[in-house]
């Protein structure tokens, strides 16, 4: 009889395997990591997260606090989560054999990215593995066309869209009104796979990409939305259909990368905030999500338009570590384990988060002293990633107190700290 994720079992070992997927930075003679064991006490459930990035890294910290077992499937021992998670398993998320091996030691499988092939997810489910969120739900984050069609079928307002294959189809969609946004149906992230085309010539250049010409990358065209600002909502849903929703936040995107988040969104009318929260909860329920759902929206004069979905912890929720009663990472673990959900209420009146991007100098740690001395209340989170220009390598969060909580001032403090960590000066971009 299936007794659920907390069923008693013998204390199995979570191995950091000697077999590994080489990193591009590995030398030919680089030693393999030592074979070490992480023991989970009997009766304690184990959550396995596929992906070794910063989301898994921060989720592992929440798992430690909850006292649950946590394992990571990482491609390299150098990945962000693999550096800190005792239960790290080295393997390839594109390999069904590796996924099956990894899942065998876990009570539930979840994800820090959307790139696991859907056929592999379906195979795991046929094997009896608890995949949360399920493959049927994850499809709507893996396939933008399916997502748009499903949401519009539910009556959810989205940007106007159409699948396109040729320049003539793009031109017909534009109907003389440029710019038009072209998006890869699958595989895009942090601005990759999204092109804002100001003319037919720009669209032709996108369509001339080798992968597009070969039919390896399908595209959709979307209207270019003249939005007032970008908003995001984190909702969470458990297998027992308990739901919770965090305050609506304002996000600032540059070059397709989230740069800043302010919680709650300043100046948002209570009715509009409630509308956004209710919409996120409704989408989570309609799509059968288990765990977190991030809903990115455009605020326009005509109302809210849903832009993107993610079914995992999300950049728009990093502020919750210091700024909410329950962080998004703990909340996701609670949901996939079907534990009662935590309070999403704010722990401070306002929180602001700024992402730290890589600059030209890799020695970020050398700049800690200035940031911490200049603003002792700023909380710095670094991801252990090699520094590359423009790469997300950490974030800074600043929370207000009940006597002084100016959202723009807090955002400016977070921005200055992130800028100094990147450039060594407070006024950098």
């Amino acid at each position: 009889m299936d007794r659920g994720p907390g069923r008693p079992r013998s204390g199995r070992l979570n191995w950091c395997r000697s077999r590994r997927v080489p990193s591009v930075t590995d030398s030919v003679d680089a030693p393999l990591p030592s074979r070490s064991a992480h023991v989970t006490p009997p009766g304690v459930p184990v959550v396995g997260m596929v992906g070794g990035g910063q989301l898994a890294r921060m989720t592992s910290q929440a798992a430690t606090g909850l006292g649950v077992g946590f394992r990571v499937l990482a491609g390299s021992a150098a990945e962000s989560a693999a550096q800190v998670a005792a239960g790290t398993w080295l393997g390839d998320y594109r390999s069904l054999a590796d996924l099956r091996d990894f899942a065998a030691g876990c009570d539930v499988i979840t994800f820090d990215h959307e790139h696991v092939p859907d056929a592999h997810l379906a195979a795991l489910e046929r094997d009896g593995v608890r995949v949360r969120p399920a493959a049927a739900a994850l499809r709507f984050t893996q396939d933008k066309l399916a997502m748009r069609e499903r949401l519009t079928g539910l009556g959810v307002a989205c940007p106007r869209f159409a699948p396109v294959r040729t320049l003539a189809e793009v031109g017909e969609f534009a109907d003389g009104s440029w710019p038009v946004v072209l998006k890869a149906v699958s595989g895009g992230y942090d601005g990759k796979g999204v092109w804002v085309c100001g003319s037919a010539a720009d669209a032709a250049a996108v369509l001339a990409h080798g992968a597009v010409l070969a039919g390896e990358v399908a595209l959709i065209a979307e209207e270019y939305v003249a939005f007032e600002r970008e908003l995001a909502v984190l909702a969470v849903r458990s297998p027992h259909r308990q739901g919770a929703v965090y305050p609506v936040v304002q996000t600032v995107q540059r070059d397709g990368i989230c740069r800043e988040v302010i919680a709650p969104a300043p100046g948002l009318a209570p009715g509009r905030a409630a509308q956004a929260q209710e919409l996120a909860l409704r989408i989570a329920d309609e799509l059968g999500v288990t765990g977190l759902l991030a809903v990115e929206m455009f605020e326009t004069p005509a109302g809210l338009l849903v832009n993107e979905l993610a079914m995992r912890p999300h950049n728009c929720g990093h502020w919750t570590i210091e700024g909410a009663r329950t962080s998004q990472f703990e909340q996701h673990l609670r949901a996939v384990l079907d534990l009662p959900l935590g309070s999403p209420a704010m722990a401070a009146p306002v929180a602001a988060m700024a992402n730290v991007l890589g600059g030209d100098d890799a020695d970020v740690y050398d700049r800690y002293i200035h940031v911490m001395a200049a603003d002792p209340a700023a909380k710095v989170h670094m991801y252990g990633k090699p520094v590359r220009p423009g790469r997300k390598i950490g974030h800074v969060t600043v929370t207000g107190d009940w006597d002084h909580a100016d959202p723009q001032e807090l955002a400016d403090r977070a921005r200055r700290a992130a800028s100094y960590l990147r450039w060594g000066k407070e006024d950098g971009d």
Side-chain angles (χ1 to χ4, degrees), residues 179-211:
V180 164
V181 180
L182 294 181
K183 291 184 177 181
V185 169
S186 62
Y189 183 70
D190 274 352
K192 298 178 179 65
V194 178
W195 301 270
V196 179
C197 301
S199 65
D202 290 344
V206 175
L207 292 167
H209 286 183

Side-chain angles (χ1 to χ4, degrees), residues 101 169 246 277 338 371:
D101 285 349
E169 290 175 339
Y246 287 86
Q277 290 175 310
D338 209 11
V371 170

Side-chain angles (χ1 to χ4, degrees), residues 143-320:
D143 185 321
K144 288 183 170 60
L145 178 58
M147 181 263 287
R148 285 281 183 259
E149 291 174 339
R150 178 72 170 129
L151 291 181
T152 54
L154 293 171
V156 174
C158 299
R160 185 173 63 89
F161 71 97
V164 292
R165 290 176 296 175
T166 66
L167 186 58
E169 290 175 339
V170 177
E172 182 181 354
F173 178 85
D175 193 24
S177 180
W178 299 86
V180 164
V181 180
L182 294 181
K183 291 184 177 181
V185 169
S186 62
Y189 183 70
D190 274 352
K192 298 178 179 65
V194 178
W195 301 270
V196 179
C197 301
S199 65
D202 290 344
V206 175
L207 292 167
H209 286 183
V212 176
L213 287 174
E216 298 169 1
V217 175
L219 298 176
I220 59 172
E222 291 188 353
E223 67 174 312
Y224 182 83
V225 177
F227 55 84
E228 295 176 336
R229 60 176 167 174
E230 293 180 85
L231 304 173
V233 189
L234 274 176
V236 62
R237 182 175 178 273
S238 74
H240 276 100
R241 299 185 65 185
Q242 184 187 10
V245 64
Y246 287 86
V248 182
V249 303
Q250 174 180 311
T251 68
V252 176
Q253 315 279 334
R254 296 179 195 163
D255 300 321
I257 297 176
C258 178
R259 297 292 296 273
E260 300 171 15
V261 175
I262 301 176
L268 188 63
R272 179 60 58 84
Q275 178 192 3
Q277 290 175 310
E278 290 167 3
L279 181 58
L281 285 168
R282 179 189 165 210
I283 292 172
D285 186 58
E286 293 281 5
L287 301 187
V289 175
T290 295
L292 283 170
L293 172 70
V295 183
E296 297 181 87
M297 305 176 182
F298 295 134
E299 184 180 21
T300 76
L304 298 174
L305 297 179
V306 172
N307 182 38
E308 297 286 354
L309 302 178
M311 297 177 191
R312 51 171 170 76
H314 192 266
N315 203 160
C316 74
H318 290 352
W319 65 271
T320 62

Side-chain angles (χ1 to χ4, degrees), residues 24-25 192 356-362 385-393 422:
V24 294
T25 60
K192 298 178 179 65
V356 179
L357 304 187
D360 299 324
D361 179 7
K385 291 183 171 183
V387 175
R388 293 201 300 264
R391 184 187 201 187
K392 279 193 286 192
I393 59 172
R422 184 182 189 187

